[in-house]
Amino acid sequence: MKISLDWISDYVDINDIPVDVVADRLTMCTAEVEDVLEVRRSVAQVVVGEVIDCRDIPAAPNLKLVTVDCGTRRFQTVCGAPNVRKGLKAPFAPPGTRLANGVEIAVAEVSGHRSEGVLCSPAELGMSRWHEGLLECPPSLPNGAPLAQWIPDRDVLIEIDNKSLTHRPDLWGHYGFARELAAIFRRPLRPLPVVDLSQYDHLPTYPLTVDDYENCPCYGCIDLRVRAGVPAPLVIQRRLHALGQRTFNLMVDLTNYIMWEIGQPTHAFDGDRVHAIRVAPLGKPGTFVTLDGQERQLLPDDLLIWNEKEPVALAGVMGGLESEVTPTTTHVLLESANFKASRIRRTSVRLDLRTEAAQRFEKGQPPVNVKIGTARALQCLIDSGEPFEVLSRFTVAGDLKEAPRPLSIPWRTVDTMAGQKIPRQEAVGILRHLGFLAEEKGETLEVGIPAHRSEKDISIPADVVEEILRIYGYDRIEPRLPEGPMAALPVNVGLRKEHQARRVLAGAHGFVEVQNYVWLDDNWLAELGYQPGETLTLKNPPAQTCRRLRPVLLPNLLALVRPNRAHRDMFRIFEIGRVFRPQANDGCEERTHLAGVSFRSSGKGDQEEHFRSIRGALEDLGAVLTGQALRFVAGQDSPFPWCVPGYWVKILLGDTTVGAAGVLDPVLARVVALEGQVVWFELDLEAIQAPIYPVVHYRPLAVYPRSWQDFSLLWDVTKGFDSLEAVLSKFQHPLISEREFLYVFKGKGLPQGQASYTFRYWLAAPDHTLTGEEIEGFRTAFLSFLQENGISLR
Amino acid sequence: MDEILEQLRRDVAAATDSKQVEQVRVKYLGRKGIITTLAKNTDFSRLSSEEKRSFGQRLNALKSEAEQLLKEALEKAKAAEKDLVRKVAGLDLSLPGIDRRLGSIHPIALVQMELEEIFQGMGFRVLTGYEVELEYYNFDALNIPPDHPARDMQDTFWLDNGMLLRTHTSANQVRALETYGVPLRAIFPGRCFRNEAIDASHENTFYQLEGLLVDRDISVAHLIAVMKTLLSQVFKREVTVRLRPGFFPFVEPGFELDVQCLICGGKGCATCKQTGWIELIPCGLVHPKVLEFGRVDPNIYSGFAFGMGLTRMAMMKFGIPDIRLFNSGDIRFYEQFPAAF
Ligand SMILES: [Zn+2]
């Protein structure tokens, strides 16, 4: 929204205040100023000229040879504007004039004719960028009069961020900003000139029915006889052009002017095309041709203005082509109505018809504007000097809600919200400047909320306090830290686990934390061969193949292997994020998972060693999160394609499954990594339940030196380490203080299918140094245990 | 005796290591050494007592001179030998380290962890909500009526089951009030989603950090002071802030909080688009209706809420120019943020 200071000056005097101060105070008190623009117009030497003769030039079908009367002188000029015609009054720049584009007008020879000076478009005068035709002046202007009388050479536009106006329908017009500036600078606000509509009450009522008060709470209209097609006064045209609006004719420009002045959209129907107005929804699907000539597909709910049985306007959005005023219209029905914001928004968004009118109705205009819009329009008609006749009384259906809405606010509320005492007289003064009724009554502030502020905008005490404080100035409020009793600050256990996991994986094991989107791509799932079963799905996904919300993290993490293998020979990545599963009754179960992937391009160590290094990280993680050892148990068949028996293990804490880990089998590894080996894991962090601070018990240090004995045991590879451990754990001997696994050897010289597992037994006694006999006793007992269990030494 | 001393000097000079120095010592001062035997080989009976004394003195002088010479030579030889040993070891301590196991933490997580610490230090508890949220908590309970533009299809990711991906962490406000009651000081960091086209400055997935403080008589003055304190900690120096009107349905009054540009100090530069201010935190006093939705009596309690863009903070803090990098999956990006915590 652009605000013209030229226009503002009709209502409040702030010319003595520097523009940057005006812009800054508006930002601080009202709405964000995005830019300040200066309009420079070239009107010096330009005069009102009347086309008294206009002839075709046979050699140049687009050009006319024109005689222009400028009062004291006549000029002959060649003009190419489509709207040049005999009788038209337009700005004329005689030779020697410098126009906005920098061109100095000279006497020229055009198509064989002498051309002295030019008739000007708004763009040539610097009024706007519109150059498709001449600026048309009202016929009442005297020929030869300097144009500067009506079009000053300068204006300043303040551009406001529309987003900061969504809650302020009153600021979608200049008068609202004039009111704000009057309050901000404590200057008087001149009242909006309006006619007293009651003078027409004796005239007949216009036939008007509203069928849908829900969506049209108030509708007003007045029937007029007036030449709609004459040019509008230049003050109206210059201001509309300054805002980038092109001008058409008196009635159309007038309705636009009212809208840009008070925010209220009005519409002019050709009075001969309408006889009785009805406001009702379409009721069935259909089409309607709007005045831009487009046929619009409508839904039954769309609200229309009807002439008896014929739709004539798409309510609050755009008028119809059939009933539009034309240059020859002399009978006008002026509509000023109020529509429900959401109704207008839905229709205009769906049709992508974001007209200025629709944008304003969407913000929720106050119903009183139905009346103010009409009264202001008639006043502008009077000011234009164009004669008109009122044919009907101002006919209204619905409630104008003209009365101020009373509200009592304890002064304590004002001071409490501010955090300091606000001077009462100043608060009352601010509210009155903003058009509120305000009275200090003891401990209470009695307020009348003016009708021009919508109910959505102002209805509760907090709304009124905001009005006071923003004008009072937030910079005048002294910051003060809140007090309050000391309270225990509970630890967020879930977040703590997440951060601990980050510290272990990234801090001690070289993992890189990544993040993925929460949706899964069906194409990738198909490549993986993963059917996730029931998942939550997006109604409006970011891409058609990305409808499913992830029930696990791994698929998206695995998708990162291929792109990253181009950058690194090996890497470890992890992600902490939410996963989702549908629940009964359209519910959702949301859990926090931790998943990781480790990649090595082929040839860098064997897969078993690779897996063990990741398992080591998980063992560390388990120790940090739980203080206990996680258990890893061979996994069986599983719905996840990355869980192939022999290639994956379940991870348990006690008897609770908390996750899984494994190596991608060669088939899937090819899909995921093309070449190389991939180790993965996924944990349900919420399933890992343990005390925040794990309990650790001190074990006494050995007083007497320990001895050790190493044994390399042959064992079936397919049976696995776990089962060897299970056997060894059965061997009890009082001297054993610790059994340590050193390494596994698979290679030449071993029996088929067997590997050599080397263990170190640490031996000690609490009260003496061990003797050779004692150690020999242990050896004998252990070797016979091995023999009983069919285990031979390497 | 002078001859002996001269000879000794020559022998010491010729000795190249401690072993040879020792041999020299034995040759002169050993049990059968030249100096040791000098006294034995002298017939004292033929000397007068005066001569005896003089001989004794000179012998002692020679002995101590010899000892001193040998001691110095030995020290010198040993030092040279140490140098030699060290040279052979050939340690190059200027080589870079190995066995580094430090990975990296996602930049947004780093910022989140830092802010959690700051807020916890100010007595705020950290709460997390749901990414898949009910329409009620995301909109209705925040005084965003069904017809509000924010609910439009194009802004919100809706689920087929009627739920939605939360569009802001404000969705936690009423949940927290319901669960924990008042007084309450809490922050809610988390992931949010908006259905918009992605480019260098727009993402459909991003992080926010919402804050909520509800107690008796909470005011604009409190809001300004808390924000000022917080931002001074975030930026590690005093900051100047200002409030100006801003509109959000769940606060009244609502503000945009600007911080004075830290790069130019308010004079105006490219970062602040010459305004001297950076728009940072939308905030406001909690709307009475929101308190009511949270079963809190707005006649007794009031509060303030604020929302920070964690993603935006991370972009500012680390100078990341393109928001798409955060979810890019490219480890060359993530690796740049070492696990500093
Ligand atoms: Zn700056």
Side-chain angles (χ1 to χ4, degrees):
Chain A
M1 169 97 187
K2 289 194 186 103
I3 305 297
S4 150
L5 291 188
D6 161 31
W7 202 331
I8 292 289
S9 69
D10 282 2
Y11 300 114
V12 58
D13 291 323
I14 52 164
N15 285 336
D16 56 319
I17 302 170
V19 174
D20 55 333
V21 174
V22 173
D24 182 63
R25 292 317 297 166
L26 272 179
T27 293
M28 295 308 291
C29 300
T30 304
E32 189 175 350
V33 171
E34 284 194 313
D35 209 353
V36 176
L37 312 157
E38 194 183 13
V39 177
R40 283 265 173 215
R41 304 186 185 108
S42 302
V43 288
Q45 298 177 57
V46 179
V47 296
V48 176
E50 181 179 354
V51 177
I52 54 170
D53 192 37
C54 182
R55 292 168 197 219
D56 291 338
I57 299 176
N62 294 326
L63 298 178
K64 297 271 201 285
L65 185 62
V66 174
T67 308
V68 180
D69 180 274
C70 292
T72 54
R73 266 192 77 182
R74 288 183 178 180
F75 295 89
Q76 174 183 290
T77 178
V78 175
C79 179
N83 61 338
V84 68
R85 61 188 183 272
K86 192 177 173 193
L88 173 72
K89 289 196 180 184
F92 181 76
T97 311
R98 188 173 291 277
L99 292 181
N101 57 11
V103 172
E104 192 181 311
I105 303 303
V107 178
E109 194 67 21
V110 182
S111 294
H113 297 275
R114 183 181 161 82
S115 181
E116 320 160 303
V118 290
L119 288 163
C120 300
S121 69
E124 284 164 319
L125 297 174
M127 294 171 70
S128 70
R129 281 199 222 124
W130 199 72
H131 57 86
E132 284 86 356
L134 305 177
L135 180 73
E136 302 197 5
C137 302
S140 59
L141 302 192
N143 295 354
L147 198 70
Q149 252 181 278
W150 300 280
I151 302 183
D153 63 357
R154 183 175 179 269
D155 192 2
V156 173
L157 301 177
I158 293 184
E159 188 163 7
I160 310 285
D161 179 6
N162 281 354
K163 284 202 292 295
S164 64
L165 298 177
T166 49
H167 61 304
R168 293 288 303 272
D170 62 311
L171 294 184
W172 285 75
H174 280 70
Y175 195 68
F177 270 98
R179 193 187 285 118
E180 290 288 319
L181 289 164
I184 291 169
F185 295 110
R186 315 290 201 271
R187 303 254 168 125
L189 176 73
R190 281 190 279 280
L192 188 74
V194 290
V195 301
D196 178 2
L197 291 171
S198 67
Q199 63 184 294
Y200 310 119
D201 280 356
H202 64 283
L203 294 173
T205 298
Y206 195 86
L208 168 65
T209 337
V210 172
D211 288 357
D212 185 355
Y213 279 110
E214 163 78 18
N215 289 312
C216 176
C218 188
Y219 191 98
C221 59
I222 194 162
D223 203 18
L224 307 169
R225 187 156 306 280
V226 61
R227 292 193 298 162
V230 297
L234 287 185
V235 57
I236 288 182
Q237 294 199 58
R238 79 169 190 241
R239 287 175 178 172
L240 290 176
H241 272 289
L243 302 182
Q245 302 293 306
R246 69 168 284 203
T247 52
F248 298 86
N249 57 46
L250 177 62
M251 269 330 282
V252 172
D253 293 356
L254 197 64
T255 55
N256 282 335
Y257 189 75
I258 302 301
M259 181 175 73
W260 287 98
E261 185 161 70
I262 61 167
Q264 170 71 5
T266 55
H267 182 68
F269 291 106
D270 184 331
D272 291 337
R273 302 289 187 114
V274 292
H275 312 289
I277 290 291
R278 189 163 68 90
V279 185
L282 181 56
K284 57 183 195 308
T287 60
F288 178 71
V289 181
T290 42
L291 58 76
D292 53 5
Q294 302 283 311
E295 187 179 84
R296 309 284 175 175
Q297 297 295 322
L298 299 188
L299 297 180
D301 283 350
D302 288 326
L303 192 67
L304 289 159
I305 313 300
W306 305 74
N307 173 38
E308 292 166 337
K309 298 232 152 90
E310 201 62 37
V312 288
L314 191 51
V317 181
M318 197 179 259
L321 185 63
E322 294 290 311
S323 58
E324 189 190 9
V325 293
T326 65
T328 56
T329 301
T330 55
H331 179 190
V332 168
L333 180 73
L334 183 68
E335 166 201 286
S336 178
N338 187 260
F339 301 108
K340 190 179 176 190
S342 55
R343 175 66 265 155
I344 301 306
R345 179 172 174 80
R346 246 175 278 150
T347 299
S348 90
V349 167
R350 194 192 72 242
L351 296 177
D352 195 21
L353 201 52
R354 315 280 291 142
T355 57
E356 294 286 347
Q359 283 194 54
R360 283 167 176 77
F361 282 123
E362 277 174 29
K363 308 300 180 287
Q365 290 293 329
V368 73
N369 276 359
V370 168
K371 184 176 176 183
I372 299 174
T374 309
R376 178 64 185 145
L378 293 194
Q379 181 63 49
C380 289
L381 265 185
I382 291 171
D383 295 346
S384 76
E386 177 67 20
F388 68 98
E389 186 191 349
V390 178
L391 303 177
S392 79
R393 62 177 298 174
F394 172 53
T395 307
V396 179
D399 187 353
L400 287 167
K401 300 196 174 172
E402 287 181 276
R405 310 187 290 279
L407 190 64
S408 297
I409 303 160
W411 280 108
R412 203 192 93 82
T413 302
V414 180
D415 295 343
T416 303
M417 284 181 69
Q420 70 189 37
K421 205 159 170 56
I422 300 299
R424 297 181 178 188
Q425 271 319 305
E426 194 173 351
V428 166
I430 287 168
L431 288 176
R432 286 180 182 164
H433 263 293
L434 289 171
F436 287 67
L437 302 177
E439 210 76 55
E440 186 187 344
K441 288 226 174 104
E443 289 309 298
T444 311
L445 168 65
E446 295 294 343
V447 166
I449 303 164
H452 67 256
R453 295 298 292 270
S454 73
E455 283 176 45
K456 246 179 167 174
D457 179 10
I458 308 272
S459 56
I460 59 172
D463 297 329
V464 177
V465 176
E466 173 174 32
E467 295 298 300
I468 297 169
L469 295 185
R470 67 186 177 85
I471 303 291
Y472 176 78
Y474 294 124
D475 50 347
R476 287 168 70 191
I477 293 176
E478 199 60 44
R480 193 155 51 84
L481 278 173
E483 291 134 31
M486 278 259 263
L489 204 58
V491 171
N492 185 318
V493 178
L495 268 181
R496 200 186 130 85
K497 273 190 282 192
E498 291 179 31
H499 296 338
Q500 279 179 313
R502 289 189 167 99
R503 289 177 174 123
V504 170
L505 294 179
H509 291 278
F511 276 84
V512 171
E513 185 180 7
V514 303
Q515 278 182 3
N516 281 298
Y517 292 102
V518 291
W519 37 80
L520 298 167
D521 188 332
D522 290 340
N523 295 333
W524 176 239
L525 298 188
E527 272 196 76
L528 288 177
Y530 172 43
Q531 286 158 346
E534 280 276 292
T535 57
L536 288 165
T537 48
L538 289 171
K539 197 192 265 178
N540 52 333
Q544 272 317 309
T545 56
C546 297
R547 295 170 53 83
R548 292 174 183 279
L549 294 192
R550 59 189 182 189
V552 285
L553 297 178
L554 259 182
N556 283 349
L557 214 46
L558 290 172
L560 298 185
V561 172
R562 270 200 239 159
N564 280 307
R565 76 191 298 287
H567 308 306
R568 299 283 183 274
D569 278 349
M570 52 198 297
F571 54 80
R572 298 169 169 193
I573 53 178
F574 77 103
E575 179 174 13
I576 295 172
R578 302 290 176 85
V579 298
F580 314 90
R581 285 279 186 197
Q583 292 291 296
N585 303 321
D586 286 336
C588 166
E589 187 195 30
E590 188 170 323
R591 301 180 79 85
T592 301
H593 275 202
L594 160 65
V597 163
S598 173
F599 167 79
R600 289 181 187 180
S601 59
S602 56
K604 294 215 170 186
D606 65 282
Q607 298 202 57
E608 193 174 274
E609 187 270 335
H610 187 185
F611 178 78
R612 285 183 66 192
S613 73
I614 299 305
R615 175 168 161 159
L618 294 174
E619 286 169 351
D620 275 0
L621 187 62
V624 168
L625 292 183
T626 71
Q628 304 170 44
L630 294 175
R631 298 199 296 126
F632 299 78
V633 176
Q636 304 306 314
D637 286 333
S638 153
F640 299 111
W642 48 88
C643 293
V644 174
Y647 283 89
W648 76 285
V649 290
K650 260 199 275 190
I651 304 175
L652 295 95
L653 176 64
D655 293 326
T656 312
T657 302
V658 297
V663 178
L664 285 192
D665 74 282
V667 179
L668 200 55
R670 187 167 290 277
V671 173
V672 169
L674 304 175
E675 208 179 315
Q677 41 176 278
V678 177
V679 174
W680 58 268
F681 68 87
E682 177 147 2
L683 295 170
D684 178 351
L685 281 182
E686 289 174 45
I688 300 180
Q689 300 276 351
I692 304 178
Y693 299 102
V695 179
V696 176
H697 286 290
Y698 164 76
R699 290 185 309 271
L701 307 178
V703 176
Y704 295 91
R706 300 198 299 178
S707 308
W708 80 79
Q709 293 278 304
D710 286 355
F711 300 92
S712 291
L713 313 177
L714 293 175
W715 186 254
D716 216 334
V717 174
T718 53
K719 284 192 196 161
F721 178 84
D722 269 353
S723 55
L724 175 59
E725 269 274 309
V727 174
L728 294 181
S729 65
K730 283 188 224 141
F731 177 68
Q732 307 284 331
H733 191 279
L735 295 186
I736 299 176
S737 83
E738 189 189 342
R739 183 180 71 242
E740 184 185 0
F741 172 61
L742 294 183
Y743 53 88
V744 60
F745 174 74
K746 297 173 180 174
K748 282 181 187 158
L750 296 180
Q752 183 68 32
Q754 297 208 320
S756 160
Y757 300 82
T758 302
F759 289 85
R760 174 163 295 175
Y761 279 82
W762 289 90
L763 308 173
D767 50 1
H768 64 278
T769 306
L770 294 181
T771 63
E773 288 86 60
E774 281 176 308
I775 294 170
E776 203 43 48
F778 161 79
R779 271 193 76 89
T780 311
F782 185 55
L783 291 175
S784 81
F785 168 82
L786 291 178
Q787 203 168 10
E788 282 163 29
N789 286 281
I791 301 172
S792 45
L793 290 177
R794 184 185 163 200
Chain B
M1 278 193 203
D2 287 345
E3 261 168 51
I4 295 175
L5 193 60
E6 264 317 296
Q7 197 189 336
L8 174 65
R9 280 190 208 280
R10 280 197 300 275
D11 286 352
V12 164
T16 53
D17 58 27
S18 56
K19 220 169 169 184
Q20 290 179 13
V21 174
E22 174 64 11
Q23 284 167 2
V24 175
R25 191 190 68 77
V26 172
K27 178 176 171 192
Y28 288 89
L29 296 174
R31 221 148 36 84
K32 293 176 180 171
I34 296 168
I35 296 174
T36 319
T37 51
L38 201 59
K40 283 186 201 155
N41 297 343
T42 304
D43 185 359
F44 285 97
S45 57
R46 292 167 53 182
L47 296 179
S48 66
S49 60
E50 183 60 24
E51 280 169 334
K52 274 184 200 165
R53 198 180 308 118
S54 153
F55 180 85
Q57 276 170 355
R58 283 196 304 148
L59 187 65
N60 281 341
L62 175 66
K63 250 188 188 165
S64 70
E65 176 87 28
E67 274 166 3
Q68 184 62 31
L69 271 174
L70 284 161
K71 192 182 157 209
E72 279 169 15
L74 189 68
E75 276 169 8
K76 212 169 129 196
K78 282 198 169 156
E81 280 156 23
K82 270 187 202 163
D83 279 355
L84 193 68
V85 170
R86 284 171 180 159
K87 244 174 222 145
V88 170
L91 269 187
D92 184 354
L93 304 186
S94 66
L95 284 169
I98 54 168
D99 279 348
R100 294 185 59 181
R101 306 307 304 261
L102 196 62
S104 54
I105 291 181
H106 195 281
I108 293 175
L110 286 176
V111 172
Q112 180 185 329
M113 290 161 91
E114 180 184 342
L115 287 173
E116 282 173 11
E117 271 179 19
I118 292 172
F119 276 107
Q120 282 169 329
M122 291 169 71
F124 285 77
R125 60 192 296 177
V126 185
L127 299 174
T128 45
Y130 300 101
E131 289 177 10
V132 169
E133 187 52 281
L134 294 168
E135 185 179 6
Y136 173 78
Y137 288 108
N138 198 75
F139 292 129
D140 300 74
L142 290 172
N143 195 32
I144 303 173
D147 292 318
H148 194 276
R151 290 205 187 190
D152 279 359
M153 200 65 183
Q154 56 263 43
D155 298 327
T156 306
F157 281 118
W158 292 92
L159 269 60
D160 286 316
N161 71 359
M163 298 177 83
L164 48 79
L165 294 181
R166 71 173 165 209
T167 60
H168 45 197
T169 41
S170 314
N172 291 312
Q173 287 191 15
V174 168
R175 278 191 182 276
L177 289 172
E178 283 176 351
T179 310
Y180 302 103
V182 285
L184 179 70
R185 290 181 186 192
I187 57 162
F188 324 102
R191 220 173 190 195
C192 305
F193 308 86
R194 284 191 201 157
N195 192 355
E196 49 180 275
I198 297 179
D199 62 29
S201 46
H202 297 87
E203 245 291 5
N204 57 29
T205 304
F206 55 93
Y207 278 79
Q208 288 186 337
L209 185 149
E210 183 88 358
L212 180 67
L213 186 153
V214 180
D215 207 332
R216 287 171 191 267
D217 296 342
I218 292 302
S219 66
V220 177
H222 292 138
L223 167 62
I224 300 173
V226 169
M227 290 294 105
K228 210 171 137 61
T229 309
L230 159 76
L231 290 173
S232 296
Q233 294 208 46
V234 169
F235 294 111
K236 317 291 178 226
R237 56 172 139 158
E238 273 296 298
V239 294
T240 306
V241 301
R242 70 174 191 186
L243 288 188
R244 54 187 171 82
F247 174 72
F248 313 96
F250 40 97
V251 288
E252 185 67 35
F255 312 109
E256 290 288 356
L257 182 137
D258 297 339
V259 58
Q260 195 166 62
C261 180
L262 295 163
I263 293 174
C264 65
K267 286 190 208 80
C269 68
T271 302
C272 59
K273 293 177 193 139
Q274 306 306 329
T275 63
W277 297 90
I278 307 256
E279 181 178 319
L280 204 60
I281 302 178
C283 51
L285 297 190
V286 181
H287 198 289
K289 280 190 191 158
V290 175
L291 292 176
E292 280 168 13
F293 278 117
R295 300 188 208 120
V296 173
D297 185 347
N299 295 313
I300 301 173
Y301 289 95
S302 55
F304 63 77
F306 54 91
M308 306 173 74
L310 273 188
T311 301
R312 180 154 171 250
M313 299 279 282
M315 291 175 82
M316 284 172 65
K317 188 180 172 83
F318 300 116
I320 297 166
D322 191 330
I323 196 169
R324 290 169 293 196
L325 286 164
F326 292 108
N327 296 326
S328 65
D330 191 329
I331 61 173
R332 292 172 303 166
F333 167 69
Y334 303 116
E335 277 176 351
Q336 297 177 25
F337 307 95
F341 35 79

